[in-house]
Amino acid sequence: MIDSGRFHGTRDEAEAVSSPPLSDADGGFSIAATQAALASELGHSTLFDLGQIDVSWDAAASTLWAFMTPEDRPNYNLRMLRDIRSWQTEAKRMFDRGDLPLKYMVLGSRFPGVFNLGGDLELFAACIERGDLPGLVRYGHSCIDVVHRAWRNAEMPVVSIALAQGDALGGGFEALLCFDIVIAEKGARFGLPEMLFGLFPGMGAYSILSRKLGRQMAERMILSGKVYNAEEMFDMGVVTILAEQGEGEQAVRNYIAANSARHAGHVGVFQAGRRVDPLDYQELVDIVENWAETALKLNPKDLRMMRRLASAQTRLHL
């Protein structure tokens, strides 16, 4: 697994982090175990353990499923970011080796009623109170490293699917926007509430929303802080498929079954979209550094609101 001490740098530094060997000498998963998983046709087979993400392989559908299982708040704490990065890099490495004939990658959450609530607000508040600009920048770089890889499907010819069975707010919404297909259950909510405490979403929301919906709509959504329901997101084109509550996973399976025969064409379309309107990593770096500088300008009232929202996230866990 990625060394968390190395994970807080730039993308170039993160690229240099080595992945764990495919051996069970240190308790990891082995090639033999991987091959056994790939050979299994009996539904989902556990592939590897990433702490806060359950990953399983559906060989019949050539689909890698991942569900976030947060230990604490359902947000993007540094451990969750590390595990998502490991999911991306392990899938890429196994695909390149030929161990994983992968067509679809699915990300959902096992936290009841929540996909993800975004950034680590307690970490933000602590950094702001001590004037720790480098700390905020390091956290932001960790986020955009994951976002950029998600936007590019970890450099693999796959279709990525986000499954929102609950709320995706702030950074959780930013992450969801990176996927080719978004399947949402009715009742899920989406939005960018950072303006409630005088900040803006700095880890990709503006970049991706402006590409999907145009700058005017991106700014309207960010500045208003409005929370939208799944039906509104479907009407805007952000959500691809609406599912009834409790039927999201089946909706994913139905989508894959209906479109697998045209997988190559779908990959080509989504790759063409990224080529026509590319998202450069440096763009994300510049915005996240602006975000960090803006965060240090928040006043005590803003910080109190930030901590209240963090406390609300904690109560969800309790």
Side-chain angles (χ1 to χ4, degrees):
M1 191 172 290
I2 290 174
D3 176 1
S4 60
R6 291 287 308 280
F7 186 52
H8 309 312
T10 65
R11 184 182 181 194
D12 289 338
E13 292 170 337
E15 291 283 8
V17 177
S18 61
S19 297
L22 280 177
S23 69
D24 54 13
D26 60 356
F29 52 93
S30 65
I31 294 176
T34 300
Q35 290 172 338
L38 295 177
S40 172
E41 298 293 337
L42 301 176
H44 289 232
S45 299
T46 298
L47 199 58
F48 45 86
D49 180 16
L50 295 177
Q52 293 192 88
I53 302 181
D54 288 338
V55 181
S56 62
W57 170 244
D58 182 350
S62 300
T63 300
L64 191 65
W65 291 78
F67 285 92
M68 293 177 281
T69 57
E71 297 168 356
D72 194 357
R73 304 182 184 103
N75 63 14
Y76 287 120
N77 57 66
L78 290 171
R79 296 185 309 281
M80 180 66 79
L81 289 170
R82 176 201 63 197
D83 289 346
I84 292 175
R85 170 70 194 280
S86 294
W87 172 58
Q88 293 171 325
T89 56
E90 280 304 311
K92 168 65 171 169
R93 186 161 66 89
M94 294 174 73
F95 178 86
D96 287 346
R97 289 173 60 94
D99 294 330
L100 206 64
L102 182 60
K103 289 185 176 181
Y104 297 93
M105 293 181 72
V106 183
L107 180 65
S109 170
R110 294 297 189 204
F111 197 98
V114 174
F115 177 79
N116 192 282
L117 299 182
D120 190 337
L121 299 182
E122 284 287 357
L123 183 150
F124 295 173
C127 286
I128 292 167
E129 286 174 342
R130 64 175 180 263
D132 184 5
L133 179 62
L136 289 170
V137 171
R138 284 195 300 271
Y139 177 87
H141 284 176
S142 297
C143 291
I144 62 173
D145 184 67
V146 167
V147 163
H148 194 255
R149 280 176 174 77
W151 172 259
R152 297 186 59 82
N153 287 344
E155 307 298 340
M156 292 184 290
V158 301
V159 173
S160 61
I161 302 173
L163 171 58
Q165 296 172 290
D167 295 349
L169 302 175
F173 185 42
E174 285 178 301
L176 179 143
L177 290 169
C178 299
F179 288 74
D180 297 323
I181 302 295
V182 177
I183 296 177
E185 292 186 2
K186 294 178 181 179
R189 299 180 303 162
F190 308 84
L192 301 163
E194 285 84 351
M195 279 292 164
L196 289 175
F197 46 84
L199 198 53
F200 68 94
M203 285 75 167
Y206 194 109
S207 296
I208 299 172
L209 276 174
S210 65
R211 284 163 170 79
K212 289 180 177 286
L213 303 178
R215 286 182 58 184
Q216 185 176 36
M217 179 57 74
E219 290 180 2
R220 182 184 304 171
M221 291 179 69
I222 291 169
L223 291 171
S224 71
K226 179 181 174 180
V227 174
Y228 298 82
N229 61 39
E231 289 84 351
E232 290 173 310
M233 287 285 99
F234 177 77
D235 290 341
M236 285 189 214
V238 173
V239 167
T240 315
I241 296 172
L242 271 177
E244 298 296 329
Q245 288 190 13
E247 297 181 8
E249 289 185 46
Q250 188 57 49
V252 173
R253 295 188 189 96
N254 292 345
Y255 172 84
I256 292 171
N259 293 285
S260 184
R262 295 178 290 276
H263 173 264
H266 286 203
V267 168
V269 168
F270 296 132
Q271 287 178 336
R274 288 187 285 271
R275 177 63 184 88
V276 168
D277 207 350
L279 176 57
D280 183 69
Y281 185 77
Q282 188 59 46
E283 175 182 322
L284 296 175
V285 170
D286 293 343
I287 292 172
V288 88
E289 291 179 358
N290 179 20
W291 167 86
E293 292 171 358
T294 303
L296 291 186
K297 299 174 184 176
L298 298 185
N299 59 45
K301 181 180 178 182
D302 294 327
L303 284 177
R304 287 194 296 272
M305 172 60 75
M306 186 182 292
R307 288 197 181 279
R308 280 199 293 273
L309 292 174
S311 296
Q313 292 180 2
T314 300
R315 288 194 296 274
L316 280 176
H317 173 67
L318 297 175

